[in-house]
Amino acid sequence: MSLRIVVTVKYVPDATGDRHFADDLTVDRDDVDGLLSELDEYAVEQALQIAENADDAEVTVLTVGPEDAKDALRKALSMGADKAVHVEDDDLHGTDAIGTSLVLAKAIEKAGYDVVISGMASTDGTMGIVPALVAERLGVPQVTLLSEIAVEDGKVTGRRDGDAASEQLEASLPAVVSVTDQSGEARYPSFKGIMAAKKKPVESWDLSDLDIEAEEVGLEGAYTKVESADARPARTAGTIVKDEGEGGKQLAAFLAGQKFI
Amino acid sequence: MAEVLVYVDHVDGAVRKPTLEVLTLARRIGEPVAVALGAGAAATAATLAEHGAVKVLTNEAAELADYLVVPKVDALQAAYQQVSPAAVLLPTSADAKEIAARLALRIDSGIITDAVDVEAGADGPVATQSVFAASFTTRSVVAKGTPVITVKPNSAPVEAAPAAGAVEELSVTFSALATGTKVVSRTPRQSTGRPELTEAAIVVSGGRGVNGAENFGIIEALADELGAAVGASRAAVDAGWYPHTNQVGQTGKSVSPQLYIANGISGAIQHRAGMQTSKTIVAVNKDAEAPIFELADYGVVGDLFQVVPQLTEEIKARKA
Ligand SMILES: Cc1cc2nc3c(=O)[nH]c(=O)nc-3n(C[C@H](O)[C@H](O)[C@H](O)COP(=O)(O)OP(=O)(O)OC[C@H]3O[C@@H](n4cnc5c(N)ncnc54)[C@H](O)[C@@H]3O)c2cc1C
Ligand SMILES: Nc1ncnc2c1ncn2[C@@H]1O[C@H](COP(=O)(O)O)[C@@H](O)[C@H]1O
């Protein structure tokens, strides 16, 4: 039987752009170019490797996001994923992590899965909690933050490098996995891949397809509320000296002046 | 007075500093009830009591160590049901964020991660966060349920506030899912004898400019002279010059020390994300146009192989 892999990918504002907030204190997505979150490219890469090593596998990429989020799906398809699902609905605007995990879990169930692979964190929200939330909702093992992963014989194994220790983990499928940026460089789409991606199927689902009520998601359904967002005052320019042979000593004098020595 | 649950991060009974900082913040909202789990949990009580824990709920079941995350969620949920707290606070770590998230979902509450400050507000705790690579500061509240908040290291002072700290065994019934992900083996991280990166008052970092694993010795020598932790940019880590556990930035550690010294680091947005909130920033870089100088309180444009050893020697001389 075919191994069904679902990869969750997020479309995010470019971190090197001038990211800011919209009037309703949600992330502004109009003024900054968006892209497939770089950290989710690692998830796509691992999914493709697992599929290549399996007898028979199918990789579906899934995103929850606005119209433009299709770009993220296209990129993943051009890397080699087989098909894509885009969950898009006007009522999703302002959805928080808890709401996103609901939509993802319902969509993953509808798509059918043996293993879900996510990135370690989105590059805009950087919470790193959606995979754990999706695992909780699906009621399957979470095998998260892996720097090394293998899927074989109905099992997922991998290494999680934590603060205090490095752990070797193991769980039976179905499971939810997330991978770090230590898991291996993501491939670039080839020209052939880019051409092939244009013909790959992209399904669009809205909230009613997933039996989710509008009140459960969006700004209204959010469990947290941002009350204010202020640009951090730019750091005031400091003293810059050119080393003419005494740079280290000058720096020591500065540190002494600040009582660090 | 309302009670506040505080999740304890400890290694075999040794409480890590961020937990004590969280106790300081918890006391602004109510009376801290600490939850310590896993081997050595009971041994945490004295330290926690000294810093304001009125009660310490402990459980040392083997499941807590043998399986990933979920047993701890079960235990924290049991504590939640027993105490009915006004909020649940945890020191941010990879494990704690995942534990917090799953707990929030189970108790139908909102979650805020990586707070850098927590204050009591009219409608419950208000959490301050630093977002978009620390270019914005937001203030948020939890709109539904009992606020679950994870707090970054170095967000509050450690304060002595002696309290009873009575130890109570927490009774936990593990869920069917608790044994889903087995921890087959665990290799503890070797101690370097230097301060923890996230807890250190001073961090000395090296980047691609350090140009080789063998050269990191000059970064370490400066760090040791200052009693500092050693950090590295992702470029240095990816090149294999320094361990990933020392990476500073978006996908590494987020640090907020009194002093950050960046050597041979350009200052890419993803690196800034992990160090921009440092109190004082110093940079050594041979390229005067490097973006790191935009953040620096003091910068030296020069070759780090000249400047850093001279700095180390000068500090030695001044101390003598
Ligand atoms: C999703 C994502 C996540 C990322 N996460 C992180 C992260 O967590 N942490 C991180 O650091 N990066 C991260 N990066 C990478 C980041 O974009 C940069 O590539 C990286 O920070 C560059 O490291 P660097 O400054 O050491 O190297 P470079 O950018 O190459 O800079 C090296 C600097 O050293 C200077 N130099 C060279 N020789 C000398 C010398 N002899 N003396 C003095 N100066 C010298 C050069 O002038 C230059 O400015 C991430 C990227 C992405 C896409
Ligand atoms: N809107 C979304 N659509 C698809 N996947 C998502 C979305 N938001 C988060 N994810 C997945 O969850 C991971 C962690 O996200 P976060 O918890 O937001 O940091 C990401 O790397 C994605 O794999």
Side-chain angles (χ1 to χ4, degrees), chain B residues 168-192:
Chain B
E168 238 178 67
E169 166 78 16
L170 176 68
S171 103
V172 183
T173 312
F174 291 108
S175 62
L177 265 182
T179 53
T181 306
K182 187 160 177 47
V183 179
V184 181
S185 66
R186 178 178 284 119
T187 316
R189 190 151 60 85
Q190 296 225 323
S191 165
T192 59

Side-chain angles (χ1 to χ4, degrees), chain A residues 2-171:
Chain A
S2 170
L3 180 73
R4 295 163 303 168
I5 307 173
V6 177
V7 189
T8 61
V9 299
K10 191 175 182 187
Y11 180 74
V12 297
D14 186 350
T16 58
D18 178 21
R19 293 180 295 182
H20 55 272
F21 288 86
D23 290 339
D24 63 357
L25 298 179
T26 60
V27 175
D28 184 294
R29 294 178 187 279
D30 295 335
D31 294 347
V32 181
D33 286 343
L35 44 79
L36 166 61
S37 173
E38 284 127 327
L39 295 175
D40 293 343
E41 289 184 16
Y42 294 93
V44 176
E45 176 62 37
Q46 290 309 313
L48 295 175
Q49 288 189 22
I50 291 163
E52 284 158 7
N53 291 331
D55 294 337
D56 180 20
E58 183 179 57
V59 177
T60 304
V61 286
L62 164 65
T63 195
V64 176
E67 169 70 31
D68 294 347
K70 282 208 169 55
D71 289 356
L73 295 176
R74 282 285 165 222
K75 170 99 188 255
L77 290 172
S78 64
M79 287 171 73
D82 300 303
K83 59 190 180 92
V85 174
H86 184 187
V87 183
E88 186 192 359
D89 198 306
D90 288 345
D91 290 324
L92 282 168
H93 175 78
T95 305
D96 63 3
I98 299 233
T100 300
S101 71
L102 171 69
V103 181
L104 284 173
K106 293 256 191 173
I108 289 163
E109 272 173 336
K110 185 172 159 87
Y113 72 103
D114 298 298
V115 54
V116 176
I117 307 186
S118 299
M120 64 188 286
S122 55
T123 56
D124 55 348
T126 70
M127 295 180 81
I129 62 172
V130 164
L133 288 169
V134 169
E136 174 76 32
R137 288 195 187 268
L138 293 174
V140 302
Q142 96 169 52
V143 198
T144 44
L145 299 174
L146 301 181
S147 305
E148 242 175 49
I149 171 176
V151 172
E152 253 168 5
D153 306 328
K155 266 197 238 152
V156 50
T157 53
R159 192 185 81 236
R160 172 171 167 123
D161 294 323
D163 263 356
S166 175
E167 296 166 328
Q168 201 63 41
L169 305 178
E170 182 184 296

Side-chain angles (χ1 to χ4, degrees), chain B:
Chain B
M1 197 177 184
E3 290 172 313
V4 177
L5 272 192
V6 172
Y7 177 82
V8 177
D9 189 1
H10 71 100
V11 180
D12 296 327
V15 180
R16 301 177 77 188
K17 185 165 155 254
T19 299
L20 304 180
E21 297 165 5
V22 171
L23 283 170
T24 299
L25 296 176
R27 281 187 283 110
R28 295 183 185 166
I29 305 166
E31 291 188 324
V33 174
V35 183
L37 304 172
T44 61
T47 308
L48 298 170
E50 236 172 86
H51 296 90
V54 296
K55 215 186 283 173
V56 181
L57 305 176
T58 63
N59 189 293
E60 302 195 5
E63 284 87 343
L64 294 160
D66 294 348
Y67 299 92
L68 190 72
V69 170
V70 186
K72 295 188 177 119
V73 182
D74 290 344
L76 194 56
Q77 187 180 14
Y80 172 85
Q81 277 155 358
Q82 183 179 324
V83 174
S84 301
V88 183
L89 303 189
L90 308 85
T92 292
S93 70
D95 283 26
K97 279 210 231 184
E98 295 187 330
I99 294 166
R102 297 184 73 137
L103 175 76
L105 192 57
R106 289 186 187 182
I107 65 175
D108 198 29
S109 294
I111 168 165
I112 295 175
T113 58
D114 299 304
V116 294
D117 197 10
V118 180
E119 291 157 311
D123 306 314
V126 182
T128 305
Q129 288 163 290
S130 192
V131 305
F132 292 162
S135 60
F136 276 81
T137 301
T138 60
R139 287 165 59 84
S140 306
V141 294
V142 166
K144 291 187 203 167
T146 305
V148 179
I149 303 173
T150 81
V151 179
K152 275 195 177 184
N154 275 344
S155 296
V158 172
E159 289 168 2
V167 181
E168 238 178 67
E169 166 78 16
L170 176 68
S171 103
V172 183
T173 312
F174 291 108
S175 62
L177 265 182
T179 53
T181 306
K182 187 160 177 47
V183 179
V184 181
S185 66
R186 178 178 284 119
T187 316
R189 190 151 60 85
Q190 296 225 323
S191 165
T192 59
R194 298 195 177 87
E196 281 285 320
L197 190 53
T198 50
E199 299 172 14
I202 303 180
V203 174
V204 179
S205 287
R208 201 193 302 274
V210 175
N211 200 26
E214 65 284 5
N215 299 335
F216 254 86
I218 69 167
I219 303 297
E220 291 179 335
L222 173 58
D224 291 344
E225 209 52 60
L226 289 165
V230 176
S233 74
R234 174 159 148 191
V237 169
D238 283 354
W241 302 340
Y242 222 68
H244 178 252
T245 38
N246 295 73
Q247 182 177 315
V248 172
Q250 187 185 357
T251 55
K253 300 269 160 55
S254 175
V255 302
S256 196
Q258 297 297 313
L259 172 64
Y260 188 86
I261 307 183
N263 303 290
I265 292 177
S266 61
I269 184 82
Q270 295 89 357
H271 187 78
R272 291 186 191 201
M275 47 69 74
Q276 187 146 262
T277 57
S278 304
K279 204 87 178 273
T280 298
I281 296 174
V282 167
V284 178
N285 194 305
K286 67 180 182 190
D287 175 11
E289 304 297 317
I292 191 79
F293 286 123
E294 293 162 20
L295 307 180
D297 297 285
Y298 197 90
V300 179
V301 179
D303 185 349
L304 73 90
F305 293 100
Q306 305 296 325
V307 178
V308 174
Q310 188 180 72
L311 171 60
T312 309
E313 282 313 309
E314 182 66 16
I315 296 171
K316 239 186 228 153
R318 281 173 183 257
K319 284 204 296 200

